[in-house]
Amino acid sequence: MALPVLAATQIATAIPDITITGTERRGGQKLVFPCEIAGHPWALKLMLAQPTQPAGVDPADSSVESFDPVTARARREVAIMYECQSPHLVKLGPLPLAQVDIEGQSIIYFTEEWIDGQDLAEILRVDGTLSVEDVRRLGLHIAAAIEELWSKGHIHRDIKPGNIMRREANGDFVLLDMGLAFDLQAQSISSPGTTPGTMIYFSPEQANVARKRQLDFRSDLFALGIVMYEALTSVHPFIAGAATSIEVLGQILGATPAPPSTHRAAITSDFDRVILRLLAKSPHLRYKTCERFRAALTTARGGGVP
Amino acid sequence: MSIYSQHGYGKGTKIEAGLRDGALRGVILSPRNESPEKLSAFATGLRAEFQDGVTLLFDPQFYATIVPDARDGSLADYPYYRPGLTRRQFISQADVHEYAADTLGFQSTLDLDRWISPAVLFDDFRDPWSQIALTMAQESISVHRQTQNAAPLLLSLVLDENALRSRDSLDEFLDIITSWDVAGFYLVVRRNDRSYPAAFDDSVLLNLVYLVYVLAEVNEFEVVCGYTDLVGLLLLAVGGKAIASGWFNTLRQFSLSPFQPATGGRAPRARYTSAPLMSSVLVVPELATAYYVGRTADMLSNTRYDQAMANGDPANALWPPETACLHHWDVLARLAEGVGGTNVGVRLATLESEIRQAIARYALLQSSGVQFEAPTGPRDLTLWLRVVQAFRSEIGA
């Protein structure tokens, strides 16, 4: 998937309501610019539309509608942001999904809440780990986001440190990027035989394409378990002996992770138990509801570890 | 950890007596064996006498609808029952919804503590009947959600023991059913061995234990195991809330034979449930032989009912079926209490210890000249021991 090639000045010309206020951040398929609309900060997300014709159809045949997975994902992301209210899910901004042509590129864009803070990947890169109490907050907040998504029939499918922000103002964690979220009732956007997401945060069942439509929120809980493990220990639970993403996936499918306390002795057995339960191979061995996970995490002894 | 009565034909006053004893905590009512009016009056009478001290459930026995020419007894008088259904009648979701609505609707007319969903029996977690069972469960959840003042719902799972041979397909099935928002499950496993007690295959029993553990202990569902006898102690140890047993062997292990055309048979031989042996032995010759070699005490359970066995030759003791049944429930309740404990690890360790002691008693009796038939010998105990050890190792308990 290609990124659009755009300068701030081109965007300002094409979308006059917006004032670009900083440099872009590059995601897998998106450019994200900080911007202002009517004096308030927002994030502007831009994607390159990539319409494709169904196989075997003459591209000149205007009777056959082309399908653009990028637009479809953006539409879904916007719809999910619109319907979800959790403070731990990023909110939609004032500009709804729109399309504009810039220098021959068909650009899809929308705005979302600008979160003043750092993403968890950056925090872990700089600090190595979070405090146990911050990991507890992380688990509680992202579980609330997963719960809200699931209550609307969605699964995020791409929970990873890069998709989690910590707000500067109050330390709350917020889940971003619903672009890969899966709607149980909707038609599949991803190509047959593929499973979107970031492989080293896949749940075992997510790696099984045949079970794609059987996924539920417990798959997101697995990914959250990996993120919490990393935040506690600075180590990915399935990285041992693996050199590539495929090898990590192999470990996710077959290896039993060491308790987090193996890497950080002060972690209590309560925390070990909660995290390892999130990382169980079968969804039925994880938590039955996000509420039960949050209850277990809330009561897990932190052991006075800062 | 409770023992329920599995109601069936010829209840007499056994159920009330078992409840008064404190051995029973609940009853699973059988529509096949009572008319709707009598069953309703019976339930009302139990509630009046025992109030909150009895848990009343009603097994709709919907699985009998797919038995050709079923001997369905009074079931035919129940408004939700449809005799002679085939797979064709389960294709439409609307039809399945109607079966669920009618079955739960009938239960709303009784003063029950839990409602049990209708179910069909399936042989394999991946066969078409399993899919029908899942649809029926989902439709039951849907009906239940829309019903005001409904009792908590137990989803009925009625499966052949062969379904439990494959852990992979069980895992997939569990992934589905553990995501459902219900109070719990009513589990019935069809046994293929017609002898009593029916022999289990190691992997089947291990997977049954795993099934109950995942539902009850890990996912905190209420799990009631119907038609379960002494082997139910393993299921209680891994979190099962209750096991149900009755006076006939067919109420202690499930098969469809009572619903199928009769093939004749003979009255079962008298049995005595021995707490020290964790087994139901034959009064003659097994208990009687122990008497002759002076080892009756190693087999006696010492309930309020077994004085007759302690006081002389068991072969001549007065041991009517009603007494044997009340004694059986009493022993089950006592053994269940014995494997109580705060967590599954403690309960399994206690159970393992109890099983080892029972095996040792068997060895002592055998060395004294008491011979046991294969089903009533230590065969099941050694199997349970292997299964408990394997399961403890699997879950690290």
Side-chain angles (χ1 to χ4, degrees), chain A residues 150 205 208 211 214 216-218 277 281-289 292, chain B residues 170-172 174-176 178-180 182-183 210 213-214 217-221:
Chain A
W150 181 242
E205 65 273 20
N208 182 348
R211 295 188 66 187
Q214 292 170 17
D216 61 33
F217 72 97
R218 293 172 294 186
R277 183 155 169 191
K281 301 291 180 221
S282 295
H284 62 253
L285 293 173
R286 296 177 209 142
Y287 289 92
K288 180 180 158 186
T289 60
R292 289 189 191 211
Chain B
L170 171 61
D171 276 340
E172 276 184 35
L174 281 169
D175 286 344
I176 296 169
T178 51
S179 67
W180 288 343
V182 287
Y210 180 77
Y213 168 77
V214 167
E217 186 75 17
V218 178
N219 289 284
E220 300 170 53
F221 289 110

Side-chain angles (χ1 to χ4, degrees), chain B residues 358-394:
Chain B
I359 290 172
R361 285 191 197 98
Y362 260 111
L364 191 66
L365 287 159
Q366 286 171 319
S367 68
S368 303
V370 183
Q371 293 188 341
F372 296 92
E373 294 188 2
T376 44
R379 176 198 71 184
D380 286 356
L381 291 174
T382 54
L383 165 69
W384 298 357
L385 185 61
R386 288 196 300 276
V387 167
V388 168
Q389 287 173 328
F391 191 70
R392 288 183 73 189
S393 165
E394 180 177 342

Side-chain angles (χ1 to χ4, degrees), chain B residues 308-372:
Chain B
M309 297 300 188
N311 291 340
D313 182 353
N316 300 322
L318 187 62
W319 193 242
E322 176 158 348
T323 305
C325 173
L326 292 170
H327 168 83
H328 182 72
W329 283 332
D330 203 22
V331 172
L332 273 181
R334 222 187 308 163
L335 289 172
E337 198 177 331
V339 295
T342 50
N343 65 60
V344 68
V346 171
R347 294 194 296 269
L348 285 170
T350 308
L351 179 60
E352 185 177 330
S353 166
E354 298 283 338
I355 294 169
R356 285 183 187 284
Q357 288 177 47
I359 290 172
R361 285 191 197 98
Y362 260 111
L364 191 66
L365 287 159
Q366 286 171 319
S367 68
S368 303
V370 183
Q371 293 188 341
F372 296 92

